[in-house]
Amino acid sequence: MELIRPLSRKKKKKKLIFSKQETEWLKIPKRVSALEVLKKIRLPTRNNLLDRIDLTLTPYLKDPVSLIGNCKIQWIGIIGPTQSGKSIFLQTVIADMIDQDPGPAMYILPDENTGKKHLDEKIIQMINATPDFQKYKTDKKTDMSHKGVKLKHMTIHPAWAGSPVSMNSFPMKRVCLDEARLMPLSVKKETNAIKYAGDRLTTYFDFGIGQGYVVSSPSVEGDLLYKQIDKENTLYVSWQVPCPECREYQELDFFKNIKIKDGEAKCICVHCGAVFEDKDKKRSFNRHGKYVKLKKVGNKWEPTNDDNFDYGDYQRVFFNWSSLVSPFRSFKRIWNEFKQTKDSIHDYRNFWQCWLAKFWIDDKSRTSTVILKNHVMEGMFKGDVPSWCRVLTAGVDTQNPGFYVTVRAHGSERRTHLVDHFFIRCPMEIANYDEIAKHFKNSIFNRVFGLTTKWKIALCAIDSGGKRTKQVYEAARLLPRLILVKGAHESARTTITYNKDINLYHVRTSEYLEETDARSVDNIFTFPEDTSDEFFTQYCAVRKTQFTDKKTNREYSVWRKMGQNDYRMADVHSFICLDIPTDLGVFRHLVDVPDFKFNPYENERKVAERRIQRTVEEIPVVEDFEISNYNW
């Protein structure tokens, strides 16, 4: 009898059942924007104005903060002025890692002393003040020190830009570099801090989860920081704001927007003249601001109107803004800071970098306001002509509101003295050539200079460029002693060439900038007592910069505008007059000829005397009649 086996039953697998709370624990948390993490940050009030970060004050931080953790972008950079919220960005980077993206981090600063202070004030104190971050602290006090910050789930390693040992460590998930402008181009002839940082990030870059950050005020053109924005696949953007009246967007520029109005410094719209108010900490216009692309023109970065871009299309994104949009610096304070720089090129450089957030140039100029003011002649005032004068020339720089004019006396042995400088108001939109000619006759050619000996100007050279070329050309036809000048390219064969068809001189103006720069250190390059501070400031606002051709290593110089420089360019044209051929000869050579002097005032008087004498000779003789009684 066959035994019947019972049917085999499959053993049921036991299911693991989790509670709802346990399920939530196992889920990988969804990443939130760093903008949300920023709201958790608390700051110690003894070092900060507020205990938390308010992005309504600094809306220009929203875009860079929102890119934290977006690892399609390997590098995020901020190039801005001091006291504008740059450190908030790096604090948010660290806060984001602590809160939702832990991993090894490195914090690089220019030197050890600065690093210790910064690590304590910006990182350790932030962690201690923020409840959400305090739970990650260990029980060891030594884990929160200048030697490093060790939390339960991550470590922040400090490093110094001048110490390769401190930067040579393990792979890092994120690296922060603060005040990169103070970091050297190379460390011990090896490489630089940014390259070291990139090496630390390589492993995490390969996995697509690494990110580096560079925050600094601008430095010098061509140095370590400047080279970062000049690399391939880099987007460089600047903050623009709309005018409160015409709504036209513009990058606020100190030299274009800041004007004196009703005795006060005001920020004026370049399109309609409306005033930007800063009483509400600049919220009124900053909240509508946006970033636009910057493009490189020659060696200079210029703002565009292009705001149509995707940050994710670039591996490197750098942001730029100036103190003019910072809520922590009023327009009045910015203007006062600028006024204090007038006697020091070093203070002006600091203003240029740390307030305007612009890259300084490798300055090779000798001119400074201090040097020029040392050449002021006591007892000489505007309008006075020195006794040694052989000829007077004038120069004019053309601008939309009017004309900047300088008058200069020239003597033997290279002596030269500024006789006068003034501005002729003549707005472009209402001035025709008749009005321009009238202004020039009254203010330049018919004007008499000197007290004992009367003088008039022999020649005047004018910049024929700008937006009123046609009117200037037409006015010159009525003024035979007005010389039309246009800048020539550096490759031009000669310093001056003449176009007879249009009565125009093409001049390599850089040579005259060189001449005025070289002469400015001589005691025979003098100024009247009442020369304005504005003149001296403008005279030093065009600088000689040194560049090196990357292909040939050949060094070359370029003259760069560093602010309003209209009086300097007008004076350059007064020197150009010395080399213009006349029927007498070239004044540059004639002023050294003994007994030479050309004074149109004297010549006109002699001509008038000859004309009177000739008329007298033609009068019939009348007995007992005295010529002195005749009504001429």
Side-chain angles (χ1 to χ4, degrees), residues 129-156:
T130 305
D132 286 271
F133 305 158
Q134 290 174 4
K135 61 186 178 183
Y136 297 110
K137 291 170 59 177
T138 67
D139 296 329
K140 292 182 180 180
K141 290 184 179 180
T142 55
D143 285 349
M144 299 279 284
S145 70
H146 64 268
K147 294 182 179 179
V149 177
K150 296 180 182 179
L151 301 174
K152 291 177 181 179
H153 62 328
M154 64 172 287
T155 302
I156 303 169

Side-chain angles (χ1 to χ4, degrees), residues 520-587:
S520 67
V521 298
D522 294 335
N523 292 327
I524 53 176
F525 190 84
T526 57
F527 302 90
E529 267 191 46
D530 50 351
T531 305
S532 69
D533 286 338
E534 181 186 13
F535 177 89
F536 288 126
T537 300
Q538 288 194 24
Y539 215 87
C540 300
V542 56
R543 314 299 298 174
K544 182 181 178 182
T545 62
Q546 198 79 12
F547 290 95
T548 303
D549 190 301
K550 294 180 181 178
K551 295 181 179 179
T552 64
N553 285 328
R554 182 181 66 86
E555 290 189 347
Y556 61 97
S557 298
V558 176
W559 286 91
R560 294 285 301 277
K561 180 179 178 180
M562 301 295 290
Q564 186 179 1
N565 62 348
D566 303 309
Y567 279 128
R568 175 67 174 275
M569 298 313 297
D571 207 35
V572 160
H573 284 78
S574 73
F575 278 92
I576 290 173
C577 290
L578 293 177
D579 295 317
I580 300 297
T582 70
D583 55 354
L584 296 175
V586 177
F587 287 138

Side-chain angles (χ1 to χ4, degrees), residues 379-407:
M380 294 286 288
F381 297 92
K382 289 197 298 183
D384 295 349
V385 179
S387 58
W388 46 258
C389 178
R390 299 286 180 88
V391 67
L392 282 188
T393 64
V396 181
D397 188 64
T398 307
Q399 295 298 330
N400 291 354
F403 303 95
Y404 289 83
V405 185
T406 62
V407 180

